[in-house]
Amino acid sequence: MQTPYYLIDKKLIAANMAKMDQLRAASGAKCLLALKCFATWPVFDVMRDHMDGITSSSLFELRLGREKFGKEAHAYSVAWSDNEIDEAVGYADKIIFNSISQLVRFDDRSKGIKRGLRLNPGFSTSDFDLADPARKFSRLGEWDIDKLHGVADQISGVMIHYNCENEDFDQFSDQLGRIENDFGEFLAKLEWVSLGGGIHFTGANYPLDQLADRLKSFAKRFDVQVYLEPGEAAITGTASLEVTVLDLLENEKSLAIVDSSVEAHMLDLLVYRESGKMNTRGKHRYQICGKSCLAGDIFGEFSFPEPLKIGDRLSIEDAAGYTLVKKNWFNGVKMPSIVIREEDGALRLAREFGYDEFVSSHG
Ligand SMILES: *Cc1c(COP(=O)(O)O)cnc(C)c1O
């Protein structure tokens, strides 16, 4: 296989799906894959039987979910446009409006399906202002309880997305308690409540049973169907970015340039100022750099058991969530192919991106 490529391992996805099944069975909650995190449909066949459907952030994600995943489709968008709404309603089982003004505006055109609103509880677990739905002046959802009561008969549920890679069950439970306290009377009028994504329940030491009990008691207390919208939790740890060393330089540090680019192929490392992850140790330390002309195009610093040589293969971990969905053509760097490791271990080339795709994305 020619690098660069994203390598997605179906067996590892299946292991996450086993936890998904455990949570669904023990809690009664339904789990919808958040396509904004991961939309690589050639592996949906190992996910479909273990999740209840998809949720989306746009018309295109919604359509992809409807056509490639099937099952239940939730349609959310920060703002629907006039020319999208009828098509969206045609694909969706439920449409979730971000604001009361959108609900009112599209009331007639969405009457045929269940409607919901995004509720912003006014707090979140995000450490990054950039990704904090409860940040000051947030546009993400309604929070005024009197206004919400005013439209309760037009909707059957709410979506509350306020967690971000939250590994702390006690914090989750405390914050759900705040929601019960602040919005309980309103929630009791509804049929369903989605608690969004961002709960890291497929992590190694996460207390799945406690989460299941907590969700079950929440559902019972308000007599609602609970939904979760896992993105990262569904596919965490299941893919890598496979690259090859193209050149070796010295500038106070040893530098290795690889046939990929952080900006183009692992953008979130730059956005959130994080280092990439590689499972390697040893005495020989290198800064692993991308091949774009951006000076800070750096995957991170890693140590290796032997000196690197041109042609060496490196594997950068954690390449599933928010990675393939953000790949782009910056610098015209060859876009990584998508390779799938099937459950029997065989590697299958699912997609290659060539010059034709590069040209067609520019005009
Ligand atoms: C981003 C997002 C998700 C998925 O979040 P993860 O952290 O990937 O689990 C789910 N629901 C909504 C509304 C989102 O914006």
Side-chain angles (χ1 to χ4, degrees):
M1 296 282 178
Q2 178 67 51
T3 60
Y5 60 88
Y6 297 103
L7 177 59
I8 307 175
D9 191 317
K10 278 193 179 172
K11 233 192 220 167
L12 297 175
I13 298 180
N16 287 349
M17 291 298 117
K19 293 186 180 173
M20 194 75 68
D21 277 340
Q22 194 188 330
L23 180 67
R24 290 160 75 222
S27 67
K30 293 187 176 178
C31 290
L32 307 176
L33 178 65
L35 294 182
K36 85 156 194 274
C37 171
F38 183 80
T40 308
W41 50 267
V43 298
F44 283 176
D45 56 339
V46 277
M47 311 179 85
R48 193 177 289 113
D49 293 341
H50 312 282
M51 301 191 74
D52 299 280
I54 62 95
T55 189
S56 51
S57 17
S58 64
L59 178 62
F60 286 174
E61 281 187 1
L62 172 64
R63 179 173 172 186
L64 185 145
R66 169 57 68 218
E67 293 180 356
K68 299 291 190 185
F69 202 101
K71 302 183 87 172
E72 191 167 349
H74 283 199
Y76 167 72
S77 171
V78 171
W80 296 102
S81 69
D82 258 7
N83 60 27
E84 294 177 325
I85 192 76
D86 297 327
E87 196 182 343
V89 167
Y91 298 131
D93 295 286
K94 296 190 179 76
I95 189 160
I96 299 163
F97 294 105
N98 184 62
S99 67
I100 290 172
S101 74
Q102 284 244 311
L103 171 68
V104 169
R105 180 174 166 76
F106 297 121
D107 185 30
D108 276 346
R109 291 162 75 181
S110 62
K111 273 209 166 85
I113 59 172
K114 295 198 173 190
R115 282 96 55 89
L117 268 176
R118 179 167 185 165
L119 191 166
N120 186 330
F123 51 82
S124 81
T125 69
S126 179
D127 295 330
F128 292 97
D129 200 38
L130 180 67
D132 180 2
R135 65 189 265 154
K136 202 163 164 58
F137 314 120
S138 176
R139 71 195 182 296
L140 301 172
E142 296 284 354
W143 68 93
D144 184 316
I145 189 66
D146 295 329
K147 286 187 188 166
L148 285 164
H149 276 293
V151 293
D153 57 352
Q154 276 164 274
I155 60 175
S156 58
V158 286
M159 181 269 279
I160 318 172
H161 174 67
Y162 61 107
N163 284 281
C164 183
E165 300 207 20
N166 187 0
E167 299 178 337
D168 181 344
F169 170 74
D170 292 332
Q171 186 194 28
F172 171 77
S173 183
D174 288 350
Q175 290 198 334
L176 190 57
R178 281 174 74 180
I179 289 173
E180 292 175 317
N181 214 35
D182 297 353
F183 300 99
E185 196 189 324
F186 171 67
L187 300 183
K189 295 180 177 177
L190 305 173
E191 289 169 23
W192 55 273
V193 174
S194 172
L195 295 173
I199 309 169
H200 214 59
F201 62 83
T202 51
N205 298 312
Y206 196 91
L208 258 191
D209 295 335
Q210 285 183 57
L211 175 64
D213 289 347
R214 187 70 178 89
L215 296 175
K216 200 171 174 177
S217 67
F218 176 88
K220 197 167 162 214
R221 177 164 172 193
F222 301 104
D223 191 23
V224 290
Q225 171 65 53
V226 169
Y227 286 86
L228 297 180
E229 304 176 351
E232 188 63 44
I235 44 69
T236 194
T238 65
S240 59
L241 175 61
E242 300 292 313
V243 301
T244 298
V245 175
L246 299 179
D247 199 8
L248 295 161
L249 309 173
E250 293 288 334
N251 185 1
E252 296 181 51
K253 287 182 176 178
S254 297
L255 315 176
I257 299 173
V258 299
D259 57 353
S260 177
S261 157
V262 179
E263 170 93 25
H265 307 155
M266 270 200 166
L267 183 58
D268 266 14
L269 296 182
L270 290 184
V271 172
Y272 295 103
R273 294 165 194 270
E274 288 173 343
S275 169
K277 289 182 204 146
M278 280 182 65
N279 184 16
T280 169
R281 57 186 63 197
K283 288 191 304 212
H284 304 277
R285 194 151 180 87
Y286 290 83
Q287 182 169 282
I288 304 299
C289 311
K291 67 175 279 178
S292 84
C293 61
L294 180 72
D297 190 343
I298 296 163
F299 285 95
E301 273 190 38
F302 306 96
S303 298
F304 299 87
E306 302 292 333
L308 289 180
K309 304 182 302 298
I310 288 166
D312 280 354
R313 167 76 70 79
L314 305 180
S315 180
I316 300 160
E317 291 171 17
D318 227 355
Y322 301 101
T323 307
L324 287 106
V325 290
K326 294 192 172 191
K327 63 192 182 311
N328 64 69
W329 284 111
F330 181 59
N331 261 236
V333 180
K334 187 181 184 307
M335 192 169 277
S337 307
I338 299 173
V339 175
I340 296 169
R341 183 177 282 133
E342 299 288 346
E343 286 182 275
D344 65 5
L347 294 187
R348 176 168 69 85
L349 178 64
R351 181 78 157 94
E352 214 172 353
F353 302 93
Y355 178 68
D356 290 348
E357 284 82 10
F358 176 67
V359 173
S360 66
S361 76
H362 284 81

PDB file of all heavy atoms in Angstrom, residues 100-127:
ATOM      1  N   ILE A 100     -35.691  28.843  18.543  1.00  0.00           N
ATOM      2  CA  ILE A 100     -37.149  28.934  18.448  1.00  0.00           C
ATOM      3  C   ILE A 100     -37.529  29.674  17.169  1.00  0.00           C
ATOM      4  O   ILE A 100     -38.510  29.342  16.515  1.00  0.00           O
ATOM      5  CB  ILE A 100     -37.724  29.619  19.703  1.00  0.00           C
ATOM      6  CG1 ILE A 100     -37.564  28.673  20.905  1.00  0.00           C
ATOM      7  CG2 ILE A 100     -39.194  29.991  19.511  1.00  0.00           C
ATOM      8  CD1 ILE A 100     -37.921  29.278  22.248  1.00  0.00           C
ATOM      9  N   SER A 101     -36.707  30.629  16.764  1.00  0.00           N
ATOM     10  CA  SER A 101     -37.071  31.369  15.544  1.00  0.00           C
ATOM     11  C   SER A 101     -37.062  30.457  14.320  1.00  0.00           C
ATOM     12  O   SER A 101     -37.914  30.577  13.445  1.00  0.00           O
ATOM     13  CB  SER A 101     -36.206  32.616  15.357  1.00  0.00           C
ATOM     14  OG  SER A 101     -34.920  32.267  14.942  1.00  0.00           O
ATOM     15  N   GLN A 102     -36.114  29.493  14.263  1.00  0.00           N
ATOM     16  CA  GLN A 102     -36.133  28.539  13.140  1.00  0.00           C
ATOM     17  C   GLN A 102     -37.332  27.592  13.244  1.00  0.00           C
ATOM     18  O   GLN A 102     -37.950  27.257  12.234  1.00  0.00           O
ATOM     19  CB  GLN A 102     -34.819  27.742  13.094  1.00  0.00           C
ATOM     20  CG  GLN A 102     -33.653  28.560  12.528  1.00  0.00           C
ATOM     21  CD  GLN A 102     -33.117  27.986  11.224  1.00  0.00           C
ATOM     22  OE1 GLN A 102     -32.845  26.783  11.109  1.00  0.00           O
ATOM     23  NE2 GLN A 102     -32.963  28.827  10.215  1.00  0.00           N
ATOM     24  N   LEU A 103     -37.662  27.189  14.453  1.00  0.00           N
ATOM     25  CA  LEU A 103     -38.835  26.322  14.655  1.00  0.00           C
ATOM     26  C   LEU A 103     -40.100  27.019  14.151  1.00  0.00           C
ATOM     27  O   LEU A 103     -40.921  26.422  13.440  1.00  0.00           O
ATOM     28  CB  LEU A 103     -38.971  25.973  16.150  1.00  0.00           C
ATOM     29  CG  LEU A 103     -40.248  25.244  16.579  1.00  0.00           C
ATOM     30  CD1 LEU A 103     -40.299  23.830  16.002  1.00  0.00           C
ATOM     31  CD2 LEU A 103     -40.354  25.174  18.114  1.00  0.00           C
ATOM     32  N   VAL A 104     -40.243  28.283  14.490  1.00  0.00           N
ATOM     33  CA  VAL A 104     -41.433  29.042  14.085  1.00  0.00           C
ATOM     34  C   VAL A 104     -41.431  29.241  12.572  1.00  0.00           C
ATOM     35  O   VAL A 104     -42.431  29.029  11.889  1.00  0.00           O
ATOM     36  CB  VAL A 104     -41.464  30.402  14.827  1.00  0.00           C
ATOM     37  CG1 VAL A 104     -42.527  31.321  14.241  1.00  0.00           C
ATOM     38  CG2 VAL A 104     -41.695  30.176  16.316  1.00  0.00           C
ATOM     39  N   ARG A 105     -40.253  29.608  12.044  1.00  0.00           N
ATOM     40  CA  ARG A 105     -40.132  29.882  10.617  1.00  0.00           C
ATOM     41  C   ARG A 105     -40.481  28.668   9.760  1.00  0.00           C
ATOM     42  O   ARG A 105     -41.106  28.785   8.708  1.00  0.00           O
ATOM     43  CB  ARG A 105     -38.694  30.312  10.348  1.00  0.00           C
ATOM     44  CG  ARG A 105     -38.350  30.649   8.935  1.00  0.00           C
ATOM     45  CD  ARG A 105     -36.919  31.198   8.891  1.00  0.00           C
ATOM     46  NE  ARG A 105     -36.439  31.238   7.548  1.00  0.00           N
ATOM     47  CZ  ARG A 105     -36.811  32.149   6.663  1.00  0.00           C
ATOM     48  NH1 ARG A 105     -37.642  33.091   7.019  1.00  0.00           N
ATOM     49  NH2 ARG A 105     -36.342  32.102   5.435  1.00  0.00           N
ATOM     50  N   PHE A 106     -40.055  27.477  10.214  1.00  0.00           N
ATOM     51  CA  PHE A 106     -40.271  26.265   9.413  1.00  0.00           C
ATOM     52  C   PHE A 106     -41.356  25.361  10.009  1.00  0.00           C
ATOM     53  O   PHE A 106     -41.408  24.176   9.698  1.00  0.00           O
ATOM     54  CB  PHE A 106     -38.954  25.503   9.244  1.00  0.00           C
ATOM     55  CG  PHE A 106     -37.908  26.278   8.488  1.00  0.00           C
ATOM     56  CD1 PHE A 106     -36.685  26.567   9.061  1.00  0.00           C
ATOM     57  CD2 PHE A 106     -38.166  26.740   7.201  1.00  0.00           C
ATOM     58  CE1 PHE A 106     -35.717  27.289   8.370  1.00  0.00           C
ATOM     59  CE2 PHE A 106     -37.212  27.467   6.497  1.00  0.00           C
ATOM     60  CZ  PHE A 106     -35.992  27.742   7.085  1.00  0.00           C
ATOM     61  N   ASP A 107     -42.205  25.941  10.841  1.00  0.00           N
ATOM     62  CA  ASP A 107     -43.264  25.165  11.514  1.00  0.00           C
ATOM     63  C   ASP A 107     -44.091  24.364  10.510  1.00  0.00           C
ATOM     64  O   ASP A 107     -44.198  23.144  10.609  1.00  0.00           O
ATOM     65  CB  ASP A 107     -44.140  26.132  12.325  1.00  0.00           C
ATOM     66  CG  ASP A 107     -45.188  25.394  13.146  1.00  0.00           C
ATOM     67  OD1 ASP A 107     -44.906  24.244  13.552  1.00  0.00           O
ATOM     68  OD2 ASP A 107     -46.276  25.942  13.363  1.00  0.00           O
ATOM     69  N   ASP A 108     -44.642  25.033   9.517  1.00  0.00           N
ATOM     70  CA  ASP A 108     -45.505  24.351   8.546  1.00  0.00           C
ATOM     71  C   ASP A 108     -44.750  23.285   7.767  1.00  0.00           C
ATOM     72  O   ASP A 108     -45.246  22.182   7.556  1.00  0.00           O
ATOM     73  CB  ASP A 108     -46.070  25.367   7.537  1.00  0.00           C
ATOM     74  CG  ASP A 108     -47.309  26.039   8.102  1.00  0.00           C
ATOM     75  OD1 ASP A 108     -47.843  25.516   9.110  1.00  0.00           O
ATOM     76  OD2 ASP A 108     -47.715  27.088   7.549  1.00  0.00           O
ATOM     77  N   ARG A 109     -43.550  23.661   7.342  1.00  0.00           N
ATOM     78  CA  ARG A 109     -42.799  22.752   6.449  1.00  0.00           C
ATOM     79  C   ARG A 109     -42.192  21.574   7.176  1.00  0.00           C
ATOM     80  O   ARG A 109     -41.674  20.653   6.533  1.00  0.00           O
ATOM     81  CB  ARG A 109     -41.729  23.564   5.697  1.00  0.00           C
ATOM     82  CG  ARG A 109     -42.388  24.516   4.684  1.00  0.00           C
ATOM     83  CD  ARG A 109     -41.454  25.607   4.241  1.00  0.00           C
ATOM     84  NE  ARG A 109     -40.440  25.138   3.304  1.00  0.00           N
ATOM     85  CZ  ARG A 109     -39.487  25.919   2.795  1.00  0.00           C
ATOM     86  NH1 ARG A 109     -39.420  27.197   3.146  1.00  0.00           N
ATOM     87  NH2 ARG A 109     -38.607  25.432   1.959  1.00  0.00           N
ATOM     88  N   SER A 110     -42.217  21.564   8.514  1.00  0.00           N
ATOM     89  CA  SER A 110     -41.642  20.429   9.258  1.00  0.00           C
ATOM     90  C   SER A 110     -42.703  19.655  10.028  1.00  0.00           C
ATOM     91  O   SER A 110     -42.380  18.732  10.775  1.00  0.00           O
ATOM     92  CB  SER A 110     -40.569  20.936  10.226  1.00  0.00           C
ATOM     93  OG  SER A 110     -41.136  21.815  11.178  1.00  0.00           O
ATOM     94  N   LYS A 111     -43.961  20.016   9.846  1.00  0.00           N
ATOM     95  CA  LYS A 111     -45.040  19.398  10.632  1.00  0.00           C
ATOM     96  C   LYS A 111     -45.135  17.885  10.460  1.00  0.00           C
ATOM     97  O   LYS A 111     -45.624  17.188  11.351  1.00  0.00           O
ATOM     98  CB  LYS A 111     -46.395  20.019  10.257  1.00  0.00           C
ATOM     99  CG  LYS A 111     -46.722  21.271  11.044  1.00  0.00           C
ATOM    100  CD  LYS A 111     -48.235  21.453  11.195  1.00  0.00           C
ATOM    101  CE  LYS A 111     -48.564  22.496  12.248  1.00  0.00           C
ATOM    102  NZ  LYS A 111     -48.545  23.876  11.727  1.00  0.00           N
ATOM    103  N   GLY A 112     -44.690  17.384   9.302  1.00  0.00           N
ATOM    104  CA  GLY A 112     -44.851  15.966   9.010  1.00  0.00           C
ATOM    105  C   GLY A 112     -43.983  15.028   9.841  1.00  0.00           C
ATOM    106  O   GLY A 112     -44.218  13.821   9.853  1.00  0.00           O
ATOM    107  N   ILE A 113     -42.944  15.549  10.504  1.00  0.00           N
ATOM    108  CA  ILE A 113     -42.064  14.687  11.307  1.00  0.00           C
ATOM    109  C   ILE A 113     -41.928  15.261  12.721  1.00  0.00           C
ATOM    110  O   ILE A 113     -42.380  16.373  12.992  1.00  0.00           O
ATOM    111  CB  ILE A 113     -40.654  14.537  10.674  1.00  0.00           C
ATOM    112  CG1 ILE A 113     -39.973  15.895  10.526  1.00  0.00           C
ATOM    113  CG2 ILE A 113     -40.739  13.831   9.324  1.00  0.00           C
ATOM    114  CD1 ILE A 113     -38.527  15.789  10.094  1.00  0.00           C
ATOM    115  N   LYS A 114     -41.301  14.478  13.586  1.00  0.00           N
ATOM    116  CA  LYS A 114     -41.113  14.955  14.965  1.00  0.00           C
ATOM    117  C   LYS A 114     -40.105  16.097  14.983  1.00  0.00           C
ATOM    118  O   LYS A 114     -39.103  16.054  14.274  1.00  0.00           O
ATOM    119  CB  LYS A 114     -40.617  13.812  15.843  1.00  0.00           C
ATOM    120  CG  LYS A 114     -41.652  12.729  15.974  1.00  0.00           C
ATOM    121  CD  LYS A 114     -41.402  11.805  17.143  1.00  0.00           C
ATOM    122  CE  LYS A 114     -42.616  10.888  17.258  1.00  0.00           C
ATOM    123  NZ  LYS A 114     -42.628  10.105  18.468  1.00  0.00           N
ATOM    124  N   ARG A 115     -40.380  17.073  15.810  1.00  0.00           N
ATOM    125  CA  ARG A 115     -39.488  18.225  15.922  1.00  0.00           C
ATOM    126  C   ARG A 115     -38.878  18.310  17.308  1.00  0.00           C
ATOM    127  O   ARG A 115     -39.503  17.921  18.295  1.00  0.00           O
ATOM    128  CB  ARG A 115     -40.229  19.539  15.633  1.00  0.00           C
ATOM    129  CG  ARG A 115     -40.462  19.809  14.165  1.00  0.00           C
ATOM    130  CD  ARG A 115     -41.817  19.364  13.698  1.00  0.00           C
ATOM    131  NE  ARG A 115     -42.912  19.934  14.460  1.00  0.00           N
ATOM    132  CZ  ARG A 115     -43.502  21.089  14.164  1.00  0.00           C
ATOM    133  NH1 ARG A 115     -43.102  21.791  13.128  1.00  0.00           N
ATOM    134  NH2 ARG A 115     -44.534  21.521  14.868  1.00  0.00           N
ATOM    135  N   GLY A 116     -37.686  18.854  17.350  1.00  0.00           N
ATOM    136  CA  GLY A 116     -37.027  19.102  18.629  1.00  0.00           C
ATOM    137  C   GLY A 116     -36.306  20.431  18.590  1.00  0.00           C
ATOM    138  O   GLY A 116     -36.194  21.066  17.538  1.00  0.00           O
ATOM    139  N   LEU A 117     -35.811  20.834  19.754  1.00  0.00           N
ATOM    140  CA  LEU A 117     -35.014  22.050  19.865  1.00  0.00           C
ATOM    141  C   LEU A 117     -33.713  21.709  20.559  1.00  0.00           C
ATOM    142  O   LEU A 117     -33.644  20.777  21.369  1.00  0.00           O
ATOM    143  CB  LEU A 117     -35.735  23.081  20.735  1.00  0.00           C
ATOM    144  CG  LEU A 117     -36.644  24.096  20.075  1.00  0.00           C
ATOM    145  CD1 LEU A 117     -37.308  24.933  21.165  1.00  0.00           C
ATOM    146  CD2 LEU A 117     -35.877  25.003  19.103  1.00  0.00           C
ATOM    147  N   ARG A 118     -32.683  22.480  20.261  1.00  0.00           N
ATOM    148  CA  ARG A 118     -31.461  22.361  21.046  1.00  0.00           C
ATOM    149  C   ARG A 118     -31.597  23.207  22.304  1.00  0.00           C
ATOM    150  O   ARG A 118     -31.921  24.394  22.226  1.00  0.00           O
ATOM    151  CB  ARG A 118     -30.248  22.825  20.242  1.00  0.00           C
ATOM    152  CG  ARG A 118     -28.967  22.715  21.063  1.00  0.00           C
ATOM    153  CD  ARG A 118     -27.725  22.863  20.233  1.00  0.00           C
ATOM    154  NE  ARG A 118     -26.542  22.634  21.067  1.00  0.00           N
ATOM    155  CZ  ARG A 118     -25.329  22.420  20.592  1.00  0.00           C
ATOM    156  NH1 ARG A 118     -25.137  22.405  19.295  1.00  0.00           N
ATOM    157  NH2 ARG A 118     -24.307  22.222  21.405  1.00  0.00           N
ATOM    158  N   LEU A 119     -31.352  22.556  23.436  1.00  0.00           N
ATOM    159  CA  LEU A 119     -31.393  23.254  24.725  1.00  0.00           C
ATOM    160  C   LEU A 119     -29.959  23.482  25.174  1.00  0.00           C
ATOM    161  O   LEU A 119     -29.149  22.546  25.204  1.00  0.00           O
ATOM    162  CB  LEU A 119     -32.159  22.378  25.727  1.00  0.00           C
ATOM    163  CG  LEU A 119     -32.577  22.955  27.080  1.00  0.00           C
ATOM    164  CD1 LEU A 119     -33.607  22.035  27.724  1.00  0.00           C
ATOM    165  CD2 LEU A 119     -31.421  23.137  28.034  1.00  0.00           C
ATOM    166  N   ASN A 120     -29.637  24.707  25.513  1.00  0.00           N
ATOM    167  CA  ASN A 120     -28.293  25.022  26.016  1.00  0.00           C
ATOM    168  C   ASN A 120     -28.394  25.195  27.525  1.00  0.00           C
ATOM    169  O   ASN A 120     -29.002  26.145  28.003  1.00  0.00           O
ATOM    170  CB  ASN A 120     -27.791  26.303  25.346  1.00  0.00           C
ATOM    171  CG  ASN A 120     -26.347  26.603  25.700  1.00  0.00           C
ATOM    172  OD1 ASN A 120     -25.877  26.250  26.784  1.00  0.00           O
ATOM    173  ND2 ASN A 120     -25.636  27.242  24.795  1.00  0.00           N
ATOM    174  N   PRO A 121     -27.806  24.256  28.289  1.00  0.00           N
ATOM    175  CA  PRO A 121     -27.999  24.300  29.744  1.00  0.00           C
ATOM    176  C   PRO A 121     -27.180  25.397  30.425  1.00  0.00           C
ATOM    177  O   PRO A 121     -27.350  25.625  31.623  1.00  0.00           O
ATOM    178  CB  PRO A 121     -27.532  22.912  30.198  1.00  0.00           C
ATOM    179  CG  PRO A 121     -26.515  22.504  29.183  1.00  0.00           C
ATOM    180  CD  PRO A 121     -26.970  23.110  27.878  1.00  0.00           C
ATOM    181  N   GLY A 122     -26.280  26.049  29.657  1.00  0.00           N
ATOM    182  CA  GLY A 122     -25.508  27.143  30.251  1.00  0.00           C
ATOM    183  C   GLY A 122     -24.206  26.705  30.880  1.00  0.00           C
ATOM    184  O   GLY A 122     -23.490  27.497  31.483  1.00  0.00           O
ATOM    185  N   PHE A 123     -23.879  25.418  30.750  1.00  0.00           N
ATOM    186  CA  PHE A 123     -22.578  24.940  31.221  1.00  0.00           C
ATOM    187  C   PHE A 123     -22.139  23.807  30.304  1.00  0.00           C
ATOM    188  O   PHE A 123     -22.953  23.258  29.554  1.00  0.00           O
ATOM    189  CB  PHE A 123     -22.629  24.473  32.681  1.00  0.00           C
ATOM    190  CG  PHE A 123     -23.735  23.490  32.955  1.00  0.00           C
ATOM    191  CD1 PHE A 123     -23.594  22.145  32.673  1.00  0.00           C
ATOM    192  CD2 PHE A 123     -24.948  23.936  33.489  1.00  0.00           C
ATOM    193  CE1 PHE A 123     -24.620  21.251  32.913  1.00  0.00           C
ATOM    194  CE2 PHE A 123     -25.988  23.046  33.733  1.00  0.00           C
ATOM    195  CZ  PHE A 123     -25.814  21.700  33.443  1.00  0.00           C
ATOM    196  N   SER A 124     -20.852  23.450  30.388  1.00  0.00           N
ATOM    197  CA  SER A 124     -20.339  22.371  29.551  1.00  0.00           C
ATOM    198  C   SER A 124     -19.068  21.834  30.201  1.00  0.00           C
ATOM    199  O   SER A 124     -18.638  22.343  31.237  1.00  0.00           O
ATOM    200  CB  SER A 124     -20.014  22.884  28.150  1.00  0.00           C
ATOM    201  OG  SER A 124     -18.748  23.519  28.153  1.00  0.00           O
ATOM    202  N   THR A 125     -18.474  20.846  29.564  1.00  0.00           N
ATOM    203  CA  THR A 125     -17.216  20.295  30.104  1.00  0.00           C
ATOM    204  C   THR A 125     -16.021  20.663  29.230  1.00  0.00           C
ATOM    205  O   THR A 125     -14.933  20.127  29.424  1.00  0.00           O
ATOM    206  CB  THR A 125     -17.264  18.750  30.202  1.00  0.00           C
ATOM    207  OG1 THR A 125     -17.267  18.206  28.873  1.00  0.00           O
ATOM    208  CG2 THR A 125     -18.493  18.286  30.946  1.00  0.00           C
ATOM    209  N   SER A 126     -16.225  21.559  28.256  1.00  0.00           N
ATOM    210  CA  SER A 126     -15.125  21.836  27.329  1.00  0.00           C
ATOM    211  C   SER A 126     -14.070  22.745  27.949  1.00  0.00           C
ATOM    212  O   SER A 126     -14.383  23.744  28.591  1.00  0.00           O
ATOM    213  CB  SER A 126     -15.666  22.506  26.068  1.00  0.00           C
ATOM    214  OG  SER A 126     -14.593  22.792  25.208  1.00  0.00           O
ATOM    215  N   ASP A 127     -12.806  22.387  27.754  1.00  0.00           N
ATOM    216  CA  ASP A 127     -11.706  23.232  28.229  1.00  0.00           C
ATOM    217  C   ASP A 127     -11.317  24.277  27.188  1.00  0.00           C
ATOM    218  O   ASP A 127     -10.510  25.148  27.454  1.00  0.00           O
ATOM    219  CB  ASP A 127     -10.458  22.383  28.516  1.00  0.00           C
ATOM    220  CG  ASP A 127     -10.698  21.429  29.667  1.00  0.00           C
ATOM    221  OD1 ASP A 127     -11.499  21.772  30.556  1.00  0.00           O
ATOM    222  OD2 ASP A 127     -10.077  20.338  29.671  1.00  0.00           O
TER     223      ASP A 127
END
